[in-house]
Amino acid sequence: MDDEVQSETPLEASGSFKINKKEISNVWKHFTKIGKDKDGFEKAVCNYCGAEYVVGRHPKTGSSYGTSHLGRHIPTCKFFTDSELNEQHGKSSTYQINQEVHREKLARAIVYHDLPYNFVEYEMIRDWINYISPNVVMHSRNTVVSDVRKMYVKEKEKLKQSMSRIPNRVCLTSDVWTATTSEGYICLTAHFVDDNWRLISKILNFCRMKPPHTGVEMETTLFDCLKQWGIEKKIFSITLDNAAANDNMQHILTNHLRVQHKLLCDGEFFHIRCSAHILNLIVQEGLKVATEALYKIRESVKYVRASDARMIKFQDCVEQAGIDTSIGLRMDVSTRWNSTYLMLESALKYEKAFDILQVLDRNYKHILSQEEWRRGERICEFLEPFYDTTNMISGSSYPTSNLYFMQVWKIECILNENLCSDDDVIRDMSMRMKEKFDKYWKQYSVVLAFGAILDPRLKLVFLEFCYSKLDLSTSYDKVRNVREKIEKLYEEYASNLKGSSCSLSSNKSNILHKSIGEGSMPKKSKLYIREFEMFENESMYVAGKSELELYLDEPKVKFGQGEDFDVLSYWRLNESRFPTLSIMARDVLSIPITTVASESAFSIGGRVLTKYRSSTLPENLQMLICTRNWLHGFTLNPDDEDDCKITHEEALTAESQGASRISN
């Protein structure tokens, strides 16, 4: 119901003065107020058929009648025709507007383009819509909020049903954000493999987090969210940054779920630390010693970008140097080590231009020597694999847990190699970074090592190779420990699935009967083939080998398939051969090793909740952000092309800013 009939103030009700209110609904183009009847009810008459309707407020109760009933009359009025409407407005209309479809599309546009709810009340927008088609009814902001809420409830139920159908568990990421309004919000994101073996990442909640932001309060909020979604019994892991409050929160949440026997292996593999945060700490530690050359390059870039006149002069230097590059000079941010890498990468391309600038501009003081430029190149080359790793592990549309072990191992190898570098700065950087590496990653995450094992290109033999390259004397014990842990986890999956074998058999039976009725093969033949396949699966256990052992004994998939290899497709194709192991693979490969997905929501939240739109209610903000994510994922609008280019960097900015909360 529209809200254009506003409530009276006490002075208005007492008759002290009266304000002429502007009617904002389009229905008043088709109705005229005719005053009050003998009972005190205000009436309006249809301009076409003369039908009278009660409007305004009830003379006794004061409740509002609104205008929705007037809007419903217009398309049903027998005297209301397009020809009369066209004659009135001097325009042509080719078809009748479906008002329900119009409202749904308008609500979708509000959600997709991050528009304010009162967009529908903008005077010029209403004038433009009226020009296009006068019979389009533009409702009030409250009606739009109601339409968005309906969409939110509908999509939420679809997502809830999707999570309830899957045989596997759900992985989580969470983080806390402070908006420009100084209000705290907590974001909870779910990651799981759906029925079609697609990795799904969806925001579950983006809700107000009132202070204090302690572990106890955060755990209470998150557990309430889990119960609201009905998934508190099927959580596999939660990925968090290294803030002290998060450590306390996950400890409380683990105990809360453990006492209710809702965690696998008593919660041993429940908590995952954000790899991007740890990597940020490692590189930031190294940058502390790369001061002189890095300082001069930063100040040179800052000098050129300080004014338009300097940019024009520098562009002349670029042309004189014959430099042909589309990459502009980039400034870095102190909390974003990856921005420092991008600044170095861009500045190095303009070395000759800076050499010319020092001749043409006497005010340019931060002149670099040839040795300092070469050192800048070595630092940039040293940081490149760290930058590539950050980008690789920060994805949310593909599995990342199978990438963790290889990437962390590569970083440790790079640091070990550069501990003996001929360059003093690189050597000092490596030493400091190795100390920070050992603090967080001396012992690799066991559950994320499972991701490498469940990648058919790697398996257990890859762990043997990596550990032996690092330290041959300890490699055997480390590999044995990981194998024992993954066998322990598999046995729990096998035990849980065995307990629910009746329901699983029922599902297999349904699939069996469905398959029998399809294709050109005779029904009897199909039945025999299905029975043979089931016998073959059972024979695996008769032979004394589990699915995990059979999988590890099989030859690895060759790397020749390239980087486009889809590990989820492999498990989808082999689900019938490894029914239990494939469910475990769903969960392990769903683990996000960073919190970028949750923090990407903060980038969207920053666009919706600004200092100019600070009065949006928290529940309405959650409806906008969650509905947008459920319909369109984490991608930005195509029309925000420039913003799309920095979306990933924005997420990494949030990651780096989170480092201020991390205990070094």
Side-chain angles (χ1 to χ4, degrees):
M1 182 177 291
D2 291 349
D3 64 336
E4 61 278 342
V5 181
Q6 305 176 17
S7 60
E8 296 179 339
T9 64
L11 286 174
E12 290 174 323
S14 65
S16 299
F17 66 86
K18 185 177 182 180
I19 297 177
N20 292 325
K21 302 178 184 64
K22 183 179 178 181
E23 307 293 359
I24 63 175
S25 177
N26 283 344
V27 299
W28 297 113
K29 299 171 184 175
H30 313 294
F31 283 85
T32 303
K33 290 184 177 181
I34 58 175
K36 298 181 179 180
D37 61 12
K38 61 181 181 179
D39 297 321
F41 291 91
E42 189 173 3
K43 293 292 191 71
V45 62
C46 175
N47 296 337
Y48 310 110
C49 68
E52 294 183 4
Y53 288 89
V54 177
V55 295
R57 295 186 176 276
H58 194 284
K60 294 182 179 179
T61 64
S63 59
S64 174
Y65 287 100
T67 57
S68 296
H69 59 308
L70 305 184
R72 289 192 294 269
H73 169 78
I74 296 173
T76 61
C77 178
K78 59 183 178 180
F79 293 103
F80 175 77
T81 61
D82 284 343
S83 59
E84 289 185 353
L85 189 64
N86 296 336
E87 184 179 348
Q88 176 183 347
H89 294 274
K91 304 175 180 65
S92 61
S93 177
T94 57
Y95 62 94
Q96 184 69 34
I97 299 295
N98 186 318
Q99 301 296 339
E100 292 302 319
V101 174
H102 151 65
R103 287 176 57 175
E104 181 182 351
K105 288 186 175 293
L106 179 59
R108 284 180 174 269
I110 294 290
V111 169
Y112 184 61
H113 294 286
D114 304 323
L115 297 172
Y117 287 114
N118 64 345
F119 171 82
V120 295
E121 295 180 352
Y122 290 173
E123 185 175 351
M124 290 295 100
I125 293 296
R126 285 177 172 269
D127 182 67
W128 167 56
I129 295 298
N130 181 55
Y131 172 77
I132 294 175
S133 179
N135 60 337
V136 173
V137 179
M138 288 291 283
H139 296 277
S140 69
R141 67 181 303 275
N142 282 3
T143 303
V144 172
V145 171
S146 177
D147 290 341
V148 172
R149 183 176 291 108
K150 291 177 184 176
M151 191 185 309
Y152 168 80
V153 172
K154 177 183 176 182
E155 295 301 323
K156 180 177 181 178
E157 185 59 29
K158 287 168 61 176
L159 179 56
K160 185 182 288 189
Q161 291 297 324
S162 177
M163 289 192 292
S164 67
R165 287 195 306 266
I166 57 175
N168 46 297
R169 292 177 171 247
V170 177
C171 300
L172 305 172
T173 57
S174 180
D175 207 352
V176 177
W177 173 65
T178 301
T180 55
T181 58
S182 299
E183 295 176 330
Y185 287 84
I186 188 166
C187 179
L188 180 65
T189 309
H191 310 263
F192 60 93
V193 174
D194 68 3
D195 293 333
N196 297 316
W197 282 91
R198 295 174 302 181
L199 181 61
I200 304 297
S201 297
K202 297 295 182 183
I203 299 173
L204 298 184
N205 294 89
F206 194 94
C207 51
R208 180 82 165 88
M209 183 69 198
K210 294 182 179 180
H213 295 171
T214 63
V216 175
E217 298 298 325
M218 291 166 61
E219 191 276 340
T220 300
T221 302
L222 286 185
F223 193 76
D224 287 344
C225 292
L226 297 180
K227 289 198 299 182
Q228 176 191 131
W229 285 91
I231 58 174
E232 71 274 14
K233 295 182 180 180
K234 56 187 311 181
I235 301 301
F236 183 75
S237 70
I238 185 168
T239 304
L240 304 164
D241 66 28
N242 294 341
N246 280 337
D247 286 343
N248 189 28
M249 182 271 289
Q250 72 83 19
H251 179 71
I252 299 171
L253 182 60
T254 301
N255 289 333
H256 197 161
L257 296 173
R258 181 186 292 140
V259 295
Q260 300 180 29
H261 306 288
K262 296 174 180 177
L263 291 178
L264 293 173
C265 298
D266 207 29
E268 182 178 355
F269 310 117
F270 179 62
H271 181 212
I272 309 295
R273 295 189 181 274
C274 175
S275 297
H277 278 103
I278 295 174
L279 192 57
N280 175 69
L281 287 176
I282 293 171
V283 180
Q284 290 283 12
E285 188 68 21
L287 291 176
K288 291 179 181 178
V289 300
T291 54
E292 188 174 353
L294 192 58
Y295 171 78
K296 285 188 175 182
I297 292 176
R298 180 182 291 112
E299 292 301 315
S300 296
V301 174
K302 189 184 300 183
Y303 176 83
V304 170
R305 290 171 57 97
S307 70
D308 189 40
R310 292 176 184 174
M311 287 293 291
I312 293 174
K313 180 179 290 187
F314 187 74
Q315 183 60 37
D316 293 338
C317 297
V318 172
E319 293 176 358
Q320 291 183 39
I323 299 174
D324 182 19
T325 179
S326 58
I327 301 177
L329 287 175
R330 296 170 172 170
M331 278 298 300
D332 70 337
V333 180
S334 59
T335 57
R336 284 177 55 196
W337 78 265
N338 56 302
S339 69
T340 302
Y341 167 78
L342 293 173
M343 179 194 69
L344 280 172
E345 183 187 43
S346 64
L348 290 170
K349 297 180 183 297
Y350 293 97
E351 177 184 349
K352 293 182 180 179
F354 279 110
D355 291 341
I356 296 174
L357 182 65
Q358 67 177 314
V359 177
L360 301 180
D361 190 345
R362 295 182 179 179
N363 294 321
Y364 173 49
K365 304 297 184 182
H366 302 285
I367 301 171
L368 284 89
S369 65
Q370 288 296 315
E371 175 57 29
E372 288 171 330
W373 280 114
R374 302 290 76 78
R375 174 159 289 166
E377 286 180 349
R378 289 192 290 271
I379 293 174
C380 186
E381 182 180 354
F382 176 66
L383 293 178
E384 184 177 6
F386 296 89
Y387 178 78
D388 293 338
T389 296
T390 300
N391 286 338
M392 184 179 297
I393 67 176
S394 299
S396 59
S397 60
Y398 53 86
T400 55
S401 61
N402 60 318
L403 305 175
Y404 165 87
F405 194 92
M406 178 184 290
Q407 297 306 315
V408 173
W409 173 74
K410 284 168 58 178
I411 288 171
E412 185 170 9
C413 290
I414 291 170
L415 293 176
N416 288 338
E417 290 172 3
N418 285 278
L419 289 175
C420 302
S421 173
D422 295 333
D423 189 292
D424 294 340
V425 174
I426 299 297
R427 185 171 61 253
D428 291 343
M429 287 179 66
S430 299
M431 290 178 63
R432 295 178 70 102
M433 292 168 69
K434 186 63 167 61
E435 289 179 5
K436 188 68 73 172
F437 179 96
D438 290 341
K439 179 178 180 179
Y440 291 103
W441 280 340
K442 185 175 183 63
Q443 301 297 329
Y444 292 8
S445 170
V446 173
V447 66
L448 294 179
F450 296 168
I453 296 175
L454 294 173
D455 187 327
R457 300 168 299 174
L458 306 176
K459 297 192 177 183
L460 201 61
V461 67
F462 181 74
L463 273 63
E464 296 172 359
F465 166 76
C466 293
Y467 281 134
S468 63
K469 293 285 287 184
L470 295 174
D471 186 353
L472 188 61
S473 63
T474 62
S475 62
Y476 175 79
D477 290 336
K478 289 180 178 179
V479 172
R480 184 181 62 181
N481 177 60
V482 174
R483 175 150 193 164
E484 289 175 353
K485 296 291 185 180
I486 196 172
E487 288 175 348
K488 176 183 177 182
L489 181 62
Y490 170 77
E491 287 172 3
E492 183 141 351
Y493 272 92
S495 175
N496 291 343
L497 292 176
K498 184 178 181 181
S500 58
S501 59
C502 293
S503 62
L504 289 176
S505 300
S506 176
N507 291 337
K508 289 181 180 179
S509 177
N510 291 335
I511 296 173
L512 174 62
H513 289 302
K514 182 178 178 182
S515 302
I516 292 173
E518 297 174 355
S520 58
M521 186 180 294
K523 294 183 179 180
K524 255 325 190 191
S525 300
K526 278 198 170 186
L527 179 60
Y528 292 146
I529 290 176
R530 290 291 180 178
E531 289 179 351
F532 168 70
E533 290 175 349
M534 294 175 68
F535 169 79
E536 186 180 26
N537 288 333
E538 292 173 357
S539 66
M540 295 178 180
Y541 302 98
V542 174
K545 286 192 174 182
S546 67
E547 293 177 22
L548 177 61
E549 291 173 312
L550 289 168
Y551 164 75
L552 293 176
D553 289 344
E554 287 185 351
K556 302 191 312 305
V557 174
K558 299 297 182 181
F559 270 95
Q561 297 189 32
E563 296 181 358
D564 294 333
F565 178 78
D566 186 352
V567 65
L568 292 180
S569 291
Y570 169 87
W571 285 105
R572 176 177 59 83
L573 295 173
N574 290 275
E575 183 178 13
S576 60
R577 297 175 57 233
F578 306 114
T580 300
L581 188 60
S582 64
I583 293 179
M584 189 176 92
R586 284 173 177 264
D587 292 336
V588 173
L589 296 174
S590 297
I591 300 175
I593 63 176
T594 72
T595 60
V596 167
S598 285
E599 294 177 352
S600 295
F602 300 150
S603 297
I604 300 173
R607 299 166 189 269
V608 177
L609 194 63
T610 67
K611 61 181 180 179
Y612 304 108
R613 295 169 58 184
S614 58
S615 61
T616 305
L617 295 176
E619 55 268 27
N620 290 343
L621 177 65
Q622 177 173 254
M623 287 193 310
L624 282 174
I625 292 178
C626 290
T627 306
R628 185 186 194 277
N629 174 257
W630 298 340
L631 292 174
H632 308 291
F634 289 97
T635 58
L636 287 177
N637 307 328
D639 47 320
D640 295 334
E641 184 176 351
D642 293 336
D643 292 335
C644 284
K645 297 178 182 178
I646 64 171
T647 305
H648 183 63
E649 293 183 11
E650 283 182 342
L652 295 179
T653 302
E655 286 280 359
S656 299
Q657 289 172 344
S660 63
R661 306 193 300 272
I662 300 174
S663 172
N664 290 329

